[in-house]
Amino acid sequence: MLDWRNELPALVRAELPAHVADAFDRLPLRPAIRLTPARPGDPVVGRLGGEADLPIGQEWPLRDDGEPEIFVARLDCAVLSAYEVDLELPGSGTLLFFLPRLEEMEEVVRSGRPTVIHVPEGIATAARQVPSHLRHPSEEYEYPLVALTARTILSAPGSYNPAMAEDPAAIADLSRLLWRDEYNGRYLSDIVRRYRGFIPDHQVGGYSDAFQHPLEMSAAHHGHRSPAGTDPYQDPAFLAEARQWVTLLQLDEDDDARMIWGDGAVALWAIRRADLAARDFGATFFTVDGH
């Protein structure tokens, strides 16, 4: 019987040559939690938009210039703990994600530091919106609420992801073999996309669906700079840093939530495993990756 562990490898083996399927099976595949709109009766693991359940007495998150951030998503950690994933998420409480308005998004992308708040279980909270005194009459400050349900899926490291292999040359060879080459009109990326589904591609954990650069490499640039003129894939210290980072949350563009990142992009949050274990969500990295 197929389950999340073997459904994707079985699809790859059925549609691509054996040597490609063998290489795919040798990848360090990881479980991820796929987030989709909840239907009546589905377990709800979180939501996009709506009101933010902030601790009573906590100030609304503000940007450096005093403008309010926008509440983007909530994850319910206790409910998510029922799903297998490659992250040591908190076993209780909630994670709240905030971002600037789209017009000011470049600031947080440049700094790489978003607002992520862990609200421990038992803390008194109140559902809140952006305070009226911080609003401008012509601006919108809330995304429509979309309840989310979940299932565990298998995720694979994409092209040039540093997790593919230890040796940089092997990373390049595997990237070509698995993600660039065509086999009788079929691409691995098309099989993976069909397996994941074509609805908005929201996810917790696993490997992200970054388009331009692996999320792990983008995050590592904020913590480690290779010497000028050095290819980061030839810098062992840089690759070691990149391999410390994991996907915390991926949010696709979503019509129901009216979330648009631009150029068909995905919004990506990453965190080092050590910071996640320490519950240091102030160390979260953020970027937007588009076509």
Side-chain angles (χ1 to χ4, degrees):
M1 178 179 177
L2 295 178
D3 64 9
W4 68 263
R5 295 173 181 82
N6 51 39
E7 181 181 358
L8 178 57
L11 285 172
V12 173
R13 190 160 294 279
E15 299 190 33
L16 296 180
H19 73 284
V20 179
D22 290 343
F24 184 80
D25 287 345
R26 289 193 294 269
L27 291 176
L29 304 173
R30 295 177 182 170
I33 300 175
R34 184 82 156 86
L35 304 174
T36 57
R39 296 172 295 185
D42 286 340
V44 174
V45 303
R47 65 173 185 261
L48 305 177
E51 297 180 320
D53 296 311
L54 281 168
I56 292 175
Q58 180 161 341
E59 297 292 330
W60 189 270
L62 302 177
R63 295 170 45 210
D64 290 343
D65 62 3
E67 289 294 310
E69 295 196 324
I70 310 301
F71 174 61
V72 176
R74 163 185 165 143
L75 298 178
D76 295 320
C77 300
V79 186
L80 282 173
S81 66
Y83 299 85
E84 189 152 356
V85 70
D86 66 328
L87 300 180
E88 294 183 14
L89 292 170
S92 61
T94 59
L95 287 174
L96 307 178
F97 297 80
F98 294 81
L99 288 174
R101 293 170 55 251
L102 181 61
E103 293 79 1
E104 288 86 34
M105 193 74 72
E106 185 176 339
E107 175 187 317
V108 71
V109 170
R110 186 168 52 250
S111 70
R113 290 291 177 250
T115 298
V116 180
I117 299 172
H118 177 226
V119 182
E121 184 179 15
I123 297 295
T125 62
R128 294 164 55 192
Q129 297 179 336
V130 173
S132 59
H133 70 278
L134 295 173
R135 292 172 176 264
H136 299 290
S138 62
E139 306 292 349
E140 291 189 8
Y141 291 91
E142 282 81 39
Y143 291 108
L145 189 153
V146 176
L148 299 172
T149 192
R151 65 184 176 94
T152 295
I153 64 169
L154 197 62
S155 69
S159 183
Y160 283 91
N161 190 297
M164 296 181 81
E166 289 294 323
D167 177 55
I171 293 174
D173 290 344
L174 283 168
S175 296
R176 176 189 53 77
L177 176 72
L178 292 172
W179 299 109
R180 304 295 173 89
D181 288 353
E182 177 186 0
Y183 302 95
N184 296 321
R186 294 186 173 92
Y187 289 95
L188 174 60
S189 58
D190 293 334
I191 297 171
V192 171
R193 191 175 300 112
R194 189 169 72 246
Y195 161 74
R196 295 175 65 91
F198 291 93
I199 55 180
D201 203 357
H202 309 316
Q203 177 179 307
V204 173
Y207 297 102
S208 78
D209 197 25
F211 298 106
Q212 300 294 335
H213 306 284
L215 175 58
E216 297 83 354
M217 298 294 281
S218 297
H221 274 292
H222 279 261
H224 178 91
R225 294 286 183 178
S226 296
T230 301
D231 179 353
Y233 286 92
Q234 302 299 325
D235 181 350
F238 186 93
L239 290 178
E241 169 67 15
R243 291 173 180 133
Q244 300 301 311
W245 290 88
V246 290
T247 306
L248 181 59
L249 178 64
Q250 170 180 299
L251 293 182
D252 199 354
E253 295 188 330
D254 190 303
D255 290 340
D256 291 338
R258 297 208 300 267
M259 288 183 178
I260 303 297
W261 313 120
D263 296 324
V266 288
L268 299 167
W269 289 258
I271 191 168
R272 292 184 184 91
R273 289 194 183 276
D275 293 325
L276 179 58
R279 307 298 183 237
D280 182 8
F281 293 99
T284 303
F285 168 81
F286 175 80
T287 192
V288 172
D289 193 296
H291 294 287

